Amino acid sequence: MDTEAQHTERGRSSGEEERSRSARVSGTGPGASDGTEAPEEEAGEPSGFLTWRRTGAIGLACVVFLLLFSHFVLQPFLVPSSSMEPTLQIGDRILVNKLAYRFGSEPRRGDVVVFDGTGSFVQEETTGNPVTGLLHDAAAALGLAEPDETDFVKRVIGTGGDRVVCCDKDGRITVNGVPVREQYVMLGDQPSSVPFDIVVPDGTLWVMGDHRSQSSDSRDHLGQPGGGVVPVDKVVGRADWIGWPFGRWSTVPETDAFASVPQWTGGGHATGRGRGHG
């Protein structure tokens, strides 16, 4: 009778319902994937926006890391002029080692250093738009912009206590009475066209560019309040590498020009060995 047919249909329907329920729970039924449900979009935001937000966060974290690394460890520095030719060329990105003088070491004769010239080469610190200045400082810290007008790169010729004189009868600079054979000076340049005789005060440096005819250095600031010397605590770091352009990848060459220079005693005689690179 119809009662049996109705019972059979009801049983089939119940079985299909159970299988469907089982499939929804186990994730093995038609239309199921691997048993995981697709993640819901956060707060209704489109997935593309979330991707860009994550990318931006990662990019910002990288920039912050580079700025911190540049501030404390190794800073790129764009060479803006020809004052250090042939050692450094216009447009070179040098890598300045900020840890070189952090643990008791001090600049040595022959080192190429970057320093803040405020108070020695520049008497007043320049002022401007603070926002623009901040952006410029960030770009300069990454080597993407020219350094501040107060930053300079030069070679250390004399350290505290040294007597530096120009020039002897052969036209050479002497340090503590010893002539210095400066192989790094630009070909055709004199060691200096300006005569000078100075005893470098303790805690300061006498610095000069390698391209002597194109360098504004300690010689040009002798009559100013700073006396042409640079305080050691104004040194940013030592230029150790040329990082850009690719064709100029190299270390900044060391020199043994000061290896035989003794320490100056101030009494007409010199004692001890120099601190130049051996």
Side-chain angles (χ1 to χ4, degrees):
M1 296 181 57
D2 291 342
T3 305
E4 184 178 352
Q6 290 174 0
H7 178 75
T8 304
E9 290 177 0
R10 186 179 297 113
R12 186 183 303 116
S13 177
S14 298
E16 291 176 353
E17 184 179 351
E18 288 298 328
R19 286 194 298 273
S20 177
R21 183 183 299 114
S22 176
R24 287 199 298 270
V25 173
S26 63
T28 58
S33 56
D34 58 356
T36 60
E37 295 183 1
E40 295 182 359
E41 295 178 350
E42 299 178 13
E45 294 175 341
S47 59
F49 175 78
L50 294 176
T51 300
W52 279 108
R53 189 170 67 178
R54 293 190 188 100
T55 302
I58 293 172
L60 179 60
C62 290
V63 170
V64 170
F65 171 79
L66 288 175
L67 289 174
L68 291 174
F69 187 79
S70 173
H71 183 76
F72 292 105
V73 182
L74 195 69
Q75 178 179 348
F77 183 94
L78 175 63
V79 177
S81 73
S82 62
S83 69
M84 280 298 294
E85 291 179 342
T87 305
L88 303 176
Q89 306 289 334
I90 297 176
D92 281 353
R93 266 75 167 181
I94 55 177
L95 301 179
V96 179
N97 182 359
K98 290 192 167 185
L99 300 180
Y101 309 124
R102 286 282 178 89
F103 304 103
S105 299
E106 292 190 354
R108 302 177 298 177
R109 307 182 195 104
D111 285 356
V112 176
V113 298
V114 171
F115 61 91
D116 177 3
T118 303
S120 55
F121 283 28
V122 179
Q123 298 309 310
E124 294 184 4
E125 191 169 359
T126 57
T127 58
N129 186 304
V131 176
T132 303
L134 183 63
L135 293 174
H136 175 270
D137 289 345
L142 298 175
L144 302 177
E146 289 191 5
D148 289 337
E149 295 180 359
T150 60
D151 290 340
F152 298 86
V153 55
K154 303 293 178 187
R155 188 181 297 275
V156 177
I157 304 299
T159 59
D162 285 345
R163 183 183 182 188
V164 186
V165 178
C166 181
C167 292
D168 68 2
K169 59 183 180 64
D170 294 319
R172 297 170 297 182
I173 287 177
T174 65
V175 180
N176 300 337
V178 175
V180 180
R181 187 168 175 265
E182 300 182 283
Q183 306 95 327
Y184 44 77
V185 171
M186 185 71 173
L187 186 65
D189 274 4
Q190 302 176 39
S192 179
S193 59
V194 178
F196 56 85
D197 184 342
I198 183 173
V199 175
V200 183
D202 288 338
T204 65
L205 307 170
W206 178 268
V207 298
M208 300 173 71
D210 291 354
H211 196 170
R212 298 288 161 81
S213 63
Q214 299 296 319
S215 175
S216 176
D217 47 44
S218 288
R219 298 169 296 170
D220 299 275
H221 301 280
L222 273 170
Q224 297 179 5
V229 294
V230 176
V232 171
D233 60 11
K234 289 287 190 177
V235 174
V236 175
R238 185 179 64 213
D240 281 351
W241 301 278
I242 301 173
W244 181 268
F246 291 138
R248 285 183 50 76
W249 274 6
S250 66
T251 59
V252 175
E254 295 186 351
T255 178
D256 61 357
F258 300 88
S260 60
V261 174
Q263 295 288 20
W264 178 253
T265 64
H269 299 281
T271 61
R273 298 291 295 175
R275 292 180 291 174
H277 297 291

